[in-house]
Amino acid sequence: MKKICIIAFLVSIAALTSCGRDVDKPASTVSEKVTATAAETTTDTTTSTTATAVSTTKKTESTTSAETTAAGSEKAENYAGIAGYWYIDGDPGAASLNITEDGKFAAYYASGLLENKGYIKRVLDTEINNYIYCMYLDSGELYMAFADDGEEFKTDIYMGNGGEPHYARLYGDGGISDDGRGPEEAYEGKWQCERARLSIEDRGEGIFHALITWSDSAASYAEWDYPLIFDTDRLICDGNGTLTYVEYKEAGAGPERTVEYTDGSAEFTLEGNSIRWNDKKEHSGDNIIFRRNTHEE
């Protein structure tokens, strides 16, 4: 009977979807598209061939020069003034954008799930004679756009002509390290996704400990125990994680603990204000996004 309960429980884990999937994603409609036009000059073999050839050569040289200048500007373009973590109306629980100094962006739902990603180009809109930032998906499709208001360091972004959605920058591209803390410190604390709870403890010098409890019923739950190290941008457990099934069978008696395995591997990555759990042993964490549990801090 115990083994049947365990199997049923693990099946229920695989069937669960991630937290917050029903949260509305930020608007992605752009009021205007920026297009470029190119003129081609063709000539007939007539008495004016020489004059036309000279004119065509000059146009070609001019176009090439302009293209070279544009290419050089693109290389030198710096997006530090808009780099950082942006949230709709400055709400850390809302949908968000992460923009990097090299002009890349990632858009996240309020749940923390990735919505879209791509790159940014600062282009001249000849209709309004002003520069705008165009956000393109990796496919090349225009996603959103916002005006360059001339501010060297932006704190607010208003999309399109209507100014919606409005994003406010909460912290810089370096994450919370911009306010003096190390990036690994963002992981410490209590996090939750529906019936699953994650607790991460910083034990110093890059050593962490994570414990996930996932309730099956009022009398049973699964428990993942991970010793972790911080490696560049994530917490890693390499082959020594433990999964235990805990069950209370009799009132007043202690729980029965069944160890399922002791060789688990996992990674935890910070995405905006959420943590993604990647269970490399059995993929129990697929699509699980933990949000900080502020009620228990």
Side-chain angles (χ1 to χ4, degrees):
M1 176 64 71
K2 182 190 301 180
K3 195 62 178 179
I4 293 175
C5 290
I6 294 173
I7 293 173
F9 175 64
L10 293 178
V11 168
S12 71
I13 290 176
L16 278 177
T17 57
S18 63
C19 301
R21 278 188 178 272
D22 294 330
V23 180
D24 291 337
K25 63 181 179 181
S28 59
T29 302
V30 181
S31 58
E32 296 182 3
K33 293 186 178 181
V34 179
T35 59
T37 60
E40 294 181 357
T41 304
T42 59
T43 60
D44 296 324
T45 308
T46 64
T47 55
S48 60
T49 301
T50 303
T52 306
V54 171
S55 174
T56 304
T57 302
K58 285 183 178 179
K59 287 182 179 180
T60 303
E61 289 174 351
S62 175
T63 303
T64 303
S65 176
E67 288 175 349
T68 303
T69 303
S73 300
E74 183 178 316
K75 268 187 181 177
E77 194 72 67
N78 190 332
Y79 295 91
I82 60 172
Y85 289 84
W86 302 79
Y87 293 83
I88 290 183
D89 295 327
D91 179 2
S96 63
L97 291 172
N98 173 217
I99 299 175
T100 60
E101 291 188 6
D102 60 355
K104 303 290 177 57
F105 80 86
Y108 297 94
Y109 292 107
S111 63
L113 284 172
L114 180 68
E115 179 195 5
N116 275 308
K117 63 184 182 70
Y119 57 93
I120 299 177
K121 294 294 181 185
R122 180 175 174 269
V123 299
L124 177 63
D125 186 333
T126 55
E127 291 187 10
I128 61 175
N129 195 30
N130 192 35
Y131 282 94
I132 62 175
Y133 290 98
C134 291
M135 304 172 64
Y136 296 97
L137 302 181
D138 287 336
S139 63
E141 179 185 355
L142 188 61
Y143 176 59
M144 290 192 289
F146 56 95
D148 181 0
D149 57 12
E151 292 291 333
E152 184 176 348
F153 186 84
K154 285 183 179 294
T155 56
D156 294 271
I157 288 176
Y158 297 90
M159 296 294 177
N161 287 338
E164 292 293 337
H166 159 243
Y167 288 86
R169 174 158 38 188
L170 293 192
Y171 41 94
D173 191 25
I176 63 168
S177 60
D178 280 6
D179 62 19
R181 293 180 289 169
E184 69 276 10
E185 294 183 56
Y187 288 90
E188 188 174 19
K190 298 182 184 301
W191 309 76
Q192 187 161 356
C193 177
E194 297 181 355
R195 291 180 289 109
R197 295 190 177 191
L198 165 66
S199 176
I200 297 181
E201 178 186 355
D202 183 354
R203 296 187 173 176
E205 298 184 355
I207 305 299
F208 288 77
H209 175 259
L211 183 68
I212 295 174
T213 58
W214 196 335
S215 299
D216 179 27
S217 68
S220 60
Y221 61 89
E223 180 181 272
W224 288 262
D225 190 300
Y226 295 113
L228 301 163
I229 60 170
F230 179 72
D231 184 9
T232 309
D233 62 348
R234 65 195 60 201
L235 297 177
I236 296 175
C237 174
D238 188 13
N240 52 351
T242 301
L243 169 61
T244 304
Y245 190 75
V246 183
E247 188 176 12
Y248 291 85
K249 289 189 171 183
E250 298 179 12
E256 289 189 11
R257 302 175 64 88
T258 303
V259 177
E260 297 297 309
Y261 60 73
T262 59
D263 59 348
S265 295
E267 291 183 354
F268 295 89
T269 53
L270 197 66
E271 297 182 356
N273 59 342
S274 306
I275 288 181
R276 181 181 293 276
W277 169 33
N278 178 13
D279 173 15
K280 294 188 170 184
K281 174 73 173 179
E282 293 182 333
H283 299 283
S284 301
D286 288 358
N287 299 320
I288 297 301
I289 304 293
F290 289 99
R291 303 295 300 274
R292 188 175 290 280
N293 191 339
T294 55
H295 300 294
E296 296 190 13
E297 290 287 40

